[in-house]
């Protein structure tokens, strides 16, 4: 368990947070300048807040009388840039700072870099270098791993390629503080979502519940909003999987073994609401749902939470459509989602113990 109560002046704003992370992957999400990296650096001991208290698994790292140095805190830190030593090969980079006698093999295998051990950093791709940096942090046997926007320097295809490796890291059970302003990463990896704005925590809660809350859209961003579902692969044909989810069966692109459990992000902007059952559509996903709640923002859009079975979806529609269709809580409607609306990065692997 991580406890961090920190108050400190940084540049033009004050970082004032009270954070508790209880294991799993806790995502710090917010725009640039929200204070995410400042908070992470204070937790890791790389900067010194004016006042506060930090404890990890009951051990005090910082308070009025204690300030444990960074290298004794038991925290692994992976920066946005890999920061590998150019004169050392991958094996030596992995073992830098590790205990004598450590075998890098299991970590290298887990991250898919076992074939790179004799290369120099100059011969690595961006995604490979990022995995080496993560492996180096893991080989220090940290009690907490901080990933500070580890994919921000990569283009979209390379980010998509490395996310499955981060899912494997997530499933090891090591507590992770994951910092990002990219919701597709957070939705794939996190258990808990912490929304940071202007140096303060605006919201903290379970990821799935948070993303299904329409009132949080102003903090998350309209284009980033959308529900996350656990899905079990039931069938597949022609490059399309049929998956069972709490809201009903969905058709998504891709392939996986039958019974495989996925984590699926359904973006609010990809859902169309119909007041009568649509017929003759090319869209494969047409779900009967009930309007659960509406939340109007300052702009022209309204976030609509839709209930189906034991789950929720979010849809983003205009205020004009809400009025024209008389959309209100309790009204039965249909949610339409094109199969091709699901981006590759929106379909990931769920934790091994997840239930659809």
């Amino acid at each position: 368990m991580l406890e961090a109560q920190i108050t400190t002046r940084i540049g033009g704003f004050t970082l004032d947070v009270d954070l508790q992370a209880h294991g799993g992957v806790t995502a710090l999400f917010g725009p640039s300048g929200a204070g995410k990296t400042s908070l992470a650096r204070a937790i890791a001991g790389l900067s010194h807040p004016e006042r506060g208290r930090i404890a990890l698994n009951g051990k005090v790292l910082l308070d009025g009388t204690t300030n444990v140095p960074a290298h004794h805190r038991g925290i692994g830190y992976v920066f946005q840039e890999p920061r590998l030593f150019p004169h050392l090969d991958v094996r030596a980079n992995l073992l830098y700072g590790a205990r004598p006698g450590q075998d890098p093999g299991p970590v290298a295998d887990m991250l898919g870099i076992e074939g790179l051990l004799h290369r120099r950093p100059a011969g690595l791709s961006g995604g490979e270098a990022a995995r080496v940096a993560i492996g180096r942090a893991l080989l220090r046997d940290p009690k907490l791993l901080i990933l500070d926007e580890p994919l921000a320097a990569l283009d979209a295809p390379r980010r998509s390629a490395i996310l499955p490796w981060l899912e494997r890291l997530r499933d090891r059970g090591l507590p992770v503080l994951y910092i990002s302003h990219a919701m597709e990463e957070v939705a794939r990896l996190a258990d808990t979502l912490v929304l940071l704005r202007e140096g303060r925590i605006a919201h903290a809660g379970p990821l799935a519940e948070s993303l299904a809350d329409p009132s949080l859209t102003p903090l998350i961003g309209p284009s980033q909003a959308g529900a996350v579902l656990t899905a079990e692969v039931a069938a597949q044909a022609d490059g399309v999987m049929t998956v069972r989810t709490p809201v009903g069966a969905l058709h998504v692109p891709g392939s996986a073994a039958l019974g495989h459990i996925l984590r699926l992000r359904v973006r609010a902007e990809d859902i169309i609401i119909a007041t009568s059952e649509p017929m003759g559509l090319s869209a494969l996903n047409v779900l009967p749902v009930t309007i659960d709640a509406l939340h109007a923002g300052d702009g022209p859009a309204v976030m609509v939470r839709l209930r189906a079975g034991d789950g929720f979806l979010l849809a983003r529609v205009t205020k004009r459509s809400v009025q024209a269709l008389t959309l209100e809580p309790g009204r039965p409607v249909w949610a339409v989602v094109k199969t091709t609306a699901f981006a590759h990065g929106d379909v990931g692997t769920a934790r091994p113990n997840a239930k659809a």
Side-chain angles (χ1 to χ4, degrees), residues 135-180:
R136 180 174 59 187
L138 289 176
L139 282 165
R140 297 181 182 181
D141 292 327
K143 299 179 179 65
L144 171 71
L145 181 63
I146 297 177
L147 299 179
D148 189 355
E149 304 211 40
L151 309 185
L154 305 179
D155 58 25
R158 287 182 173 83
R159 286 199 302 271
S160 182
I162 201 175
L163 277 170
W165 302 107
L166 293 182
E167 288 172 338
R168 295 182 69 179
L169 171 62
R170 173 201 65 194
D171 296 341
R172 285 169 58 98
L174 175 68
V176 175
L177 192 63
Y178 193 89
I179 300 168
S180 180

Side-chain angles (χ1 to χ4, degrees), residues 82-311:
R83 301 191 181 187
L84 303 180
F85 296 105
H87 62 290
L88 300 178
D89 62 15
V90 167
R91 180 185 179 86
N93 268 285
L94 286 172
L95 291 174
Y96 187 86
R99 294 197 314 270
Q102 280 275 72
D103 178 10
V107 166
D109 180 66
M110 188 270 292
L111 291 170
I113 54 175
E114 66 278 7
L116 309 176
L117 295 179
H118 299 295
R119 287 196 198 175
R120 294 290 179 91
L124 302 177
S125 69
E128 290 168 343
R131 281 181 274 159
V132 174
I134 293 169
R136 180 174 59 187
L138 289 176
L139 282 165
R140 297 181 182 181
D141 292 327
K143 299 179 179 65
L144 171 71
L145 181 63
I146 297 177
L147 299 179
D148 189 355
E149 304 211 40
L151 309 185
L154 305 179
D155 58 25
R158 287 182 173 83
R159 286 199 302 271
S160 182
I162 201 175
L163 277 170
W165 302 107
L166 293 182
E167 288 172 338
R168 295 182 69 179
L169 171 62
R170 173 201 65 194
D171 296 341
R172 285 169 58 98
L174 175 68
V176 175
L177 192 63
Y178 193 89
I179 300 168
S180 180
H181 62 267
M183 182 52 69
E184 59 268 25
E185 299 171 23
V186 171
R188 284 276 294 268
L189 301 169
D191 302 295
T192 302
L193 178 64
V194 177
L195 300 176
L196 209 60
R197 277 291 185 91
E198 297 179 348
R200 288 170 170 76
I201 293 176
H203 169 83
L207 176 83
E209 293 179 16
S210 300
L211 294 184
D213 186 344
S215 68
L216 295 179
T217 300
L219 298 174
I220 294 172
S223 63
Q224 301 270 29
V228 169
L229 305 171
T230 303
E232 179 182 0
V233 180
Q236 56 184 327
D238 302 321
V240 174
M241 298 180 290
T242 301
V243 298
R244 300 189 188 98
T245 80
V247 300
L250 290 171
H251 304 281
V252 301
S255 62
L258 299 184
H260 189 67
I261 305 300
L262 303 172
R263 184 185 281 200
L264 181 65
R265 180 185 178 208
V266 188
R267 300 171 187 248
E269 61 186 13
D270 291 331
I271 294 181
I272 295 174
I273 294 177
T275 55
S276 57
E277 184 174 6
M279 304 294 291
L281 294 180
S282 62
L284 298 179
N285 299 307
V286 180
L287 298 172
V289 296
T290 301
I291 296 177
D292 183 73
L294 297 94
H295 186 272
D298 296 331
V302 176
M303 297 301 298
V304 184
R305 184 165 62 185
L306 306 168
R307 178 191 292 273
D310 296 325

